[in-house]
Amino acid sequence: MAMRQATKAAIRACVSSSSSGYFARRQFNASSGDSKKIVGVFYKANEYATKNPNFLGCVENALGIRDWLESQGHQYIVTDDKEGPDCELEKHIPDLHVLISTPFHPAYVTAERIKKAKNLKLLLTAGIGSDHIDLQAAAAAGLTVAEVTGSNVVSVAEDELMRILILMRNFVPGYNQVVKGEWNVAGIAYRAYDLEGKTIGTVGAGRIGKLLLQRLKPFGCNLLYHDRLQMAPELEKEIGAKFVEDLNEMLPKCDVVVINMPLTEKTRGMFNKELIGKLKKGVLIVNNARGAIMDRQAVVEAVESGHIGGYSGDVWDPQPAPKDHPWRYMPNQAMTPHTSGTTIDAQLRYAAGTKDMLERYFKGEDFPAQNYIVKDGELAPQYR
């Protein structure tokens, strides 16, 4: 515990501190008059903003970088108002230089907005996943798009494991019984199962997928994965996972399917009625990747028919999800708002990572290679 607290203190120091000698060497020095307009779009915390000093990912606390940016002579505008022609974000599109957003309350950067943003140079995602940006349009316009790679992979993998157990044990109906003052063991137990011995397949085995498989190993499951790249043999052996090159071969074998791939033009709507029809009847699905990977109505129909035995995730299309979104009301679901990657620990990491990239940008330095999503007109491999 002492080591964990020391680590968090170090991260906080990275976010909040600055050295005058260090910043004197920046390419964009405030004293030179090269002030930048930076806009951040985050969710509003309201009364929760002051309840935790490390709650950095909200409008009110603005990643903890306001004082630093303004001390360097930059303008920092922060808002949660991001939709429609009269929103606060739209007012700043024509003259902003840097736009920071998160996957949890994404600022949708369309080709139209990019065309209007004459001064825009840099799009940063505080977190992981930059599909809220029209990446082709960004590449064509010569913009740089980057994210804080690795900042919340542990957070998301842990959340996925939790959701698997919630669905497997039929937890939500039990919780609802308690809240309503009811007691009906049969209403829960008739569709509650052990995780041991079940076949779990992840569609995508990048950083999050690998961490999930590692965490599932002690449960004694049969672990499968499908990905564009196969793991090294020694890692496969260590995790105990088997590579399945053909997705259509893997899906019918799975008791649980976990979605762990980015949203691209190829994966948008990928889980449609036809592909869902290939899944085992009663399959459980966990999707913390992106809502638009699923065909919305096909999921609803499959859950209502029982072909999908349970569906859980924190990603929707669009976000925030409208009140009439059908996933809110389908049976056997354990949906939440998009929270898996915005734990306090993750916020400390992606706030520090965002500050680090801004420092590098002001100095004209490259970012860590793995952070680039668009650079010099080229998309990262996972988005091609």
Side-chain angles (χ1 to χ4, degrees), residues 242-263:
K242 179 182 178 183
F243 175 67
V244 184
E245 186 173 3
D246 185 350
L247 180 62
N248 292 319
E249 177 188 337
M250 184 183 84
L251 291 178
K253 299 177 180 178
C254 296
D255 300 298
V256 180
V257 172
V258 186
I259 312 301
N260 271 316
M261 57 186 171
L263 176 63

Side-chain angles (χ1 to χ4, degrees), residues 12 49-56 61 348:
R12 285 197 301 271
T50 59
K51 291 184 180 293
N52 189 326
N54 295 325
F55 190 3
L56 301 178
N61 297 326
L348 288 167

Side-chain angles (χ1 to χ4, degrees), residues 319-373:
Q319 290 188 177
K323 290 183 179 180
D324 62 351
H325 196 295
W327 290 0
R328 291 180 182 267
Y329 309 106
M330 62 187 182
N332 301 322
Q333 56 90 357
M335 296 295 296
T336 67
H338 195 170
T339 57
S340 63
T342 188
T343 63
I344 296 300
D345 304 274
Q347 289 178 48
L348 288 167
R349 291 189 291 265
Y350 64 68
T354 300
K355 183 183 178 186
D356 176 71
M357 287 193 288
L358 285 171
E359 286 178 337
R360 292 168 183 262
Y361 169 65
F362 294 147
K363 296 170 65 181
E365 296 179 352
D366 283 344
F367 302 155
Q370 69 270 20
N371 287 11
Y372 284 107
I373 303 302

Side-chain angles (χ1 to χ4, degrees), residues 8 33 35 56-57 82-83 91 106-107 115 118 159 166 172 182 205 219 253-254 311 343 359 379:
K8 290 183 178 179
S35 175
L56 301 178
K82 62 190 182 72
E83 304 293 342
K91 298 174 186 176
K115 189 175 180 180
K118 303 299 183 183
D159 189 271
I166 283 173
V172 173
E182 301 172 355
F219 286 88
K253 299 177 180 178
C254 296
Y311 186 93
T343 63
E359 286 178 337
L379 273 65

Side-chain angles (χ1 to χ4, degrees), residues 303-318:
V303 172
E304 289 178 342
S305 72
H307 189 77
I308 294 176
Y311 186 93
S312 184
D314 69 337
V315 287
W316 308 71
D317 182 36

